[in-house]
Amino acid sequence: MFDTVLVANRGEIAVRVIRTLRALGVRSVAVYSDADADARHVREADTAVRIGPPPASESYLSVAALLDAARRTGAQAVHPGYGFLAENAAFARACEEAGLTFIGPPATAISLMGDKIRAKETVKAAGVPVVPGAADPELEAAARELGAPVLLKPSAGGGGKGMRLVRDLSTLTDEIASARREARSSFGDDTLLVERWIDRPRHIEIQVLADAHGNVVHLGERECSLQRRHQKIIEEAPSVLLTPELREQMGAAAVEAARSCGYRGAGTVEFIVPGDDPSSYYFMEMNTRLQVEHPVTELITGVDLVEWQLRVAAGEELAFAQSDIHLSGWSIEARICAEDPSRGFLPSGGTVLSLHEPQGDGVRTDSGLSEGTEVGSLYDPMLSKVIVHAADRPAALRRLRAALANTVTLGVPTNAGFLRRLLAHESVVAGDLDTGLVERDAETLVPEGVPDEVYAAAAAVRLAELAPESRDGWTDPFSVPSGWRLGGSPAPLVSPLRVAGLEPVTAQAPVGASVTAGTVTVSVDGITHHFHRSGNWLGRDGDSWHVQDHDPVAAALSGAAHSGADTLAAPMPGTVTVVKVAVGDEVVAGQSLLVVEAMKMEHVISAPHAGTVTELDVTPGSTVAMDQILAVVAPREEA
């Protein structure tokens, strides 16, 4: 076993890997960009090395800096985590050339399976069924021959980055261009392939583990069909879809896929499965790394996958055969992401002001967060994962809903409340899943507006902040915010409040409200409501609200410069990557004007109506804040 391992990653996966290193008595080395100088993974490692140069978004991709950090700290091996360079064959090769053990498969396997085009050809030759499709340079012609709908995918990576489902081929050219930009940004390679889209498919993946002595086993399947924008958000193991016989067939196919590329270590073979005919499964891709969702497999098998990655990399033989693998109970994982469901799931950001992450009693949270963490727009939006294990699926669903209700992340909007409601969806409870379910029903799982009790709790906070201090047991009665009036009935205080994107309201603190530094309790219409609190942030059951004071005079003055319908504001904090117009240009309604990227996701800003661009306040590369004015389009009749 190694003495020292460098973890070439950040966030929750770095913390996760460090936990196993600590358990094995192996010294851990973290790396960090300037943006992550005070991150949790930096504090939990035995030592940490700053890598550069800026920009911070590229620091973790600097092979030279990572190898230098390993040399300076005496590391003998490198664990790549997932994302960044985890599936980069050149990095694996560079580690080996530098005398370091790459904790993952051989560079040849990464190269082969990382190229989705060659991967399909290889596993097809091994007898594994594949999805019909084609690749560059005949991409557009092949897409039109396949016919809509088709799925565009980057050849060099996964995780939903650069993927586009195209149902209208008239938009194919624009979708290909956008997919190429995202693929280039995420993986440094804009090669694409196109596949026939299977409507209402299920996404089933098989975990494999191989050593350098010819042993390959699978550890059962994971159901990953609950996705949004091709990004998994809920994963579970096992799947309600697979019978023991089908599990054995797909597991054997996954093992053959791993053997076909000379695999070593932990990997995942992903299949697309028609929901109405599970036996007609197709190979989709192989992820030559640890998966985000690996904990659900660990909890039903009792196998620490990170530990076995290390042992295999150190030359050990697997200590178990296929017949030794048994699945026990049910495990489900929810990915907590920095995104705002009320704003169309756009990436969010901010400072973590208050944090509670449940652990124990069948609940595990893998996280890279701590109070004070700055969540910016440079990296992937996933913050943490809440994972549960129970005797059966209904019990696991209940346990995960309860764990999400107890998850508190104030200061950064997240999807925790949305996921909690999704887990109560009748189709999810019934196990009737497909990859389009979330997109179809997302709107029904996002409450409209803000509940009255939230404004009542915010008003109670404002009233408590006005309460005077007592001196020597005496309080000036004229300083008490009771609404007392000379010669008239009391006029209790009302607070003008607003939540971003919604109309302002006025609210009054309920009688008997209780406010502490971290909680608020109010009764509204005979129902008592409990909230977590940090400053102006309130949270409950996984949802959170930033309730700010509203100054109607200041709002009127700031809004006088532009008509709200004419202004184009940044929907999320991020970077402007494309500007397609200039001041004075005539545009039509719906025309694409700018592209803003945040957390490796593109958002197109379109003209709200036909007219003239009268203001343009950004250029490519501009960093923008949420709701910052980007441009103004005057309606054609006023131009």
Side-chain angles (χ1 to χ4, degrees):
M1 182 51 64
F2 315 104
D3 292 321
T4 303
V5 171
L6 181 138
V7 183
N9 219 293
R10 65 181 296 279
E12 61 87 20
I13 180 57
V15 174
R16 162 70 188 93
V17 173
I18 289 168
R19 185 174 71 232
T20 290
L21 292 173
R22 186 182 302 117
L24 292 174
V26 177
R27 179 170 169 263
S28 60
V29 178
V31 292
Y32 63 92
S33 69
D34 290 345
D36 281 339
D38 193 40
R40 179 173 167 183
H41 75 279
V42 175
R43 295 196 305 271
E44 294 202 6
D46 292 304
T47 190
V49 180
R50 175 187 178 273
I51 51 176
S57 58
E58 298 177 4
S59 298
Y60 295 96
L61 299 176
S62 175
V63 174
L66 293 167
L67 296 181
D68 181 63
R71 178 188 58 78
R72 292 163 56 196
T73 55
Q76 298 139 326
V78 174
H79 193 300
Y82 41 71
F84 293 130
L85 297 171
E87 294 178 285
N88 188 301
F91 180 53
R93 199 171 293 112
C95 287
E96 298 293 342
E97 291 172 355
L100 298 165
T101 299
F102 180 80
I103 301 176
T108 52
I110 296 174
S111 179
L112 177 58
M113 287 299 172
D115 182 338
K116 291 185 176 63
I117 300 166
R118 293 173 56 208
K120 287 178 67 174
E121 294 171 350
T122 301
V123 301
K124 186 178 181 180
V128 181
V130 300
V131 182
D136 280 330
E138 295 84 16
L139 191 73
E140 190 160 345
R144 298 189 187 283
E145 184 177 341
L146 285 170
V150 294
L151 184 66
L152 300 173
K153 300 169 64 175
S155 178
K161 308 299 184 185
M163 290 180 66
R164 293 288 187 279
L165 173 59
V166 184
R167 294 190 179 275
D168 180 1
L169 293 183
S170 68
T171 66
L172 182 62
T173 301
D174 286 344
E175 294 285 14
I176 288 174
S178 182
R180 287 199 197 283
R181 284 195 300 270
E182 271 195 22
R184 193 182 309 115
S185 171
S186 298
F187 313 113
D189 183 343
D190 63 2
T191 305
L192 301 178
L193 69 155
V194 63
E195 293 178 343
R196 176 186 297 160
W197 174 255
I198 300 171
D199 271 316
R200 300 182 75 92
R202 294 179 78 135
H203 185 147
I204 307 290
E205 60 188 30
I206 306 291
Q207 176 71 58
V208 295
L209 195 58
D211 62 23
H213 305 277
N215 302 303
V216 186
V217 300
H218 73 84
L219 288 84
E221 80 280 1
R222 296 186 287 256
E223 170 85 61
C224 305
S225 298
L226 292 176
Q227 304 178 9
R228 195 183 53 73
R229 296 180 184 142
H230 308 296
Q231 184 76 41
K232 304 165 192 173
I233 54 176
I234 300 285
E235 300 101 347
E236 61 182 295
S239 167
V240 296
L241 186 67
L242 268 58
T243 61
E245 295 75 22
L246 188 54
R247 177 177 297 116
E248 185 177 346
Q249 292 175 27
M250 293 181 68
V255 167
E256 286 306 309
R259 289 190 188 279
S260 71
C261 66
Y263 202 77
R264 183 182 69 234
T268 303
V269 181
E270 304 200 356
F271 295 92
I272 199 78
V273 184
D276 56 357
D277 184 15
S279 62
S280 299
Y281 55 86
Y282 300 101
F283 170 86
M284 187 165 58
E285 63 185 6
M286 183 173 187
N287 288 301
T288 55
R289 54 171 169 80
L290 197 66
Q291 290 281 88
V292 173
E293 57 272 20
H294 75 275
V296 296
T297 297
E298 293 183 324
L299 291 176
I300 66 166
T301 62
V303 176
D304 184 325
L305 289 170
V306 175
E307 176 182 347
W308 277 101
Q309 281 188 299
L310 290 160
R311 293 190 180 282
V312 166
E316 292 187 27
E317 189 172 355
L318 292 181
F320 39 81
Q322 191 64 60
S323 59
D324 298 317
I325 304 298
H326 303 287
L327 310 185
S328 174
W330 214 279
S331 181
I332 312 178
E333 170 184 293
R335 300 189 187 192
I336 307 299
C337 296
E339 60 186 17
D340 191 345
S342 68
R343 297 172 67 102
F345 296 93
L346 290 173
S348 62
T351 303
V352 178
L353 304 173
S354 179
L355 182 68
H356 175 71
E357 298 175 321
Q359 296 279 8
D361 297 324
V363 181
R364 160 180 163 183
T365 299
D366 286 6
S367 170
L369 295 178
S370 55
E371 290 189 3
T373 296
E374 292 283 343
V375 178
S377 61
L378 295 174
Y379 306 117
D380 188 273
M382 194 180 75
L383 304 175
S384 62
K385 305 173 307 197
V386 182
I387 315 107
V388 301
H389 183 244
D392 53 38
R393 189 171 187 268
L397 285 169
R398 290 194 301 271
R399 182 165 285 172
L400 184 51
R401 289 196 294 265
L404 290 171
N406 290 324
T407 298
V408 179
T409 315
L410 298 184
V412 180
T414 75
N415 62 341
F418 172 83
L419 295 176
R420 180 172 171 269
R421 289 183 287 274
L422 174 60
L423 290 164
H425 189 289
E426 59 182 4
S427 295
V428 175
V429 172
D432 182 17
L433 313 176
D434 67 82
T435 58
L437 186 153
V438 177
E439 299 287 4
R440 290 195 304 271
D441 290 357
E443 289 186 5
T444 67
L445 302 171
V446 180
E448 290 188 14
V450 176
D452 291 342
E453 60 267 21
V454 174
Y455 288 121
V461 171
R462 302 305 188 276
L463 188 62
E465 290 173 341
L466 292 173
E469 294 183 3
S470 296
R471 293 186 179 181
D472 300 325
W474 180 83
T475 301
D476 181 355
F478 288 95
S479 67
V480 177
S482 63
W484 177 85
R485 294 188 296 179
L486 180 63
S489 57
L493 270 67
V494 293
S495 300
L497 304 167
R498 62 180 293 271
V499 171
L502 299 176
E503 291 296 317
V505 302
T506 56
Q508 182 177 323
V511 175
S514 172
V515 178
T516 71
T519 64
V520 184
T521 300
V522 295
S523 292
V524 178
D525 296 330
I527 301 176
T528 300
H529 303 272
H530 302 283
F531 293 90
H532 299 278
R533 175 214 170 197
S534 181
N536 291 338
W537 283 82
L538 298 169
R540 176 186 64 183
D541 295 338
D543 291 311
S544 66
W545 300 269
H546 186 203
V547 188
Q548 304 174 72
D549 294 316
H550 174 68
D551 184 336
V553 175
L557 292 173
S558 64
H562 302 297
S563 165
D566 300 347
T567 58
L568 300 176
M572 57 190 181
T575 303
V576 176
T577 56
V578 178
V579 177
K580 300 182 178 181
V581 293
V583 172
D585 284 359
E586 293 288 328
V587 298
V588 298
Q591 180 178 332
S592 172
L593 307 183
L594 308 101
V595 176
V596 178
E597 181 186 284
M599 297 178 175
K600 304 299 182 183
M601 188 186 85
E602 283 192 345
H603 187 83
V604 178
I605 309 296
S606 302
H609 44 238
T612 304
V613 178
T614 58
E615 289 187 29
L616 184 63
D617 299 331
V618 293
T619 58
S622 297
T623 300
V624 295
M626 183 182 295
D627 296 326
Q628 178 178 328
I629 301 301
L630 307 177
V632 177
V633 178
R636 179 159 294 161
E637 58 271 20
E638 296 177 8

